[in-house]
Amino acid sequence: SMQPQSVTQVIASDPNLSTLSGLIKEAGLSDTLAGSGPFTVFAPTNAAFKAVPAKTMGELVANKELLKSVLTFHVVPMSLKTADVKPGNVKTVNGANLPLARAGTFVTVEEAMVTGADMPAANGVVQVIDRVLLPPKR
C-alpha cells in the first residue's frame, strides 16, 4: 500500500507545481512541511509563478529570508478543506493574515482562486491556486 505522503511530497509529485516544489527546497522548507503539521498549503501553479514579474522572482531567489517569508505566507497551520473555509482571515505560518472567502464551491484566497481543491496529504491538505500571494510589507 502507498504510504500517505506529506504536503512536501504531494507538491513534488505534481508536475504543475514544480516551480513551487523547487522554491520550497531552495528555501529549506522541505523538512518543515514534511513535519507533523497539520498544514494547508495554498500552492501556486507554474503558470502562476510565470505571471510574477521577473524582477520580483529574481529578488526571491536571491534572498532566502524573503523567499521563506513569501512561501510561509502560503501555509496555514491547520488542515483546511474547501468545505471548512469560512469567510475571514486565517493566520499563516508567516505570521500575517490571509483573507479567505467562499461562494458555493468557489474558494478564494486573497485575489487567488482555488483551482485544484483538497489534495490530501498525511499531514494536511494542498489547495492549488492560480496566483502567487505576496505578504504585506512589514
Side-chain angles (χ1 to χ4, degrees), residues 75-99:
V75 183
V76 177
M78 63 177 100
S79 196
L80 209 53
K81 293 215 160 51
T82 47
D84 306 328
V85 168
K86 298 189 178 39
N89 285 332
V90 289
K91 204 170 230 355
T92 61
V93 170
N94 163 297
N97 281 323
L98 196 54

Side-chain angles (χ1 to χ4, degrees), residues 5-85:
Q5 295 190 307
S6 68
V7 291
T8 306
Q9 292 166 310
V10 170
I11 290 166
S13 63
D14 186 331
N16 273 320
L17 302 176
S18 59
T19 303
L20 175 62
S21 186
L23 292 172
I24 287 172
K25 280 195 194 76
E26 190 76 26
L29 288 171
S30 302
D31 289 348
T32 307
L33 293 178
S36 57
F39 300 111
T40 299
V41 180
F42 292 105
T45 58
N46 296 345
F49 278 104
K50 281 205 181 77
V52 174
K55 182 174 176 290
T56 307
M57 283 306 292
E59 283 166 8
L60 290 182
V61 176
N63 180 340
K64 200 165 270 195
E65 281 313 298
L66 181 63
L67 178 60
K68 207 174 233 178
S69 103
V70 167
L71 293 178
T72 54
F73 187 58
H74 292 74
V75 183
V76 177
M78 63 177 100
S79 196
L80 209 53
K81 293 215 160 51
T82 47
D84 306 328
V85 168

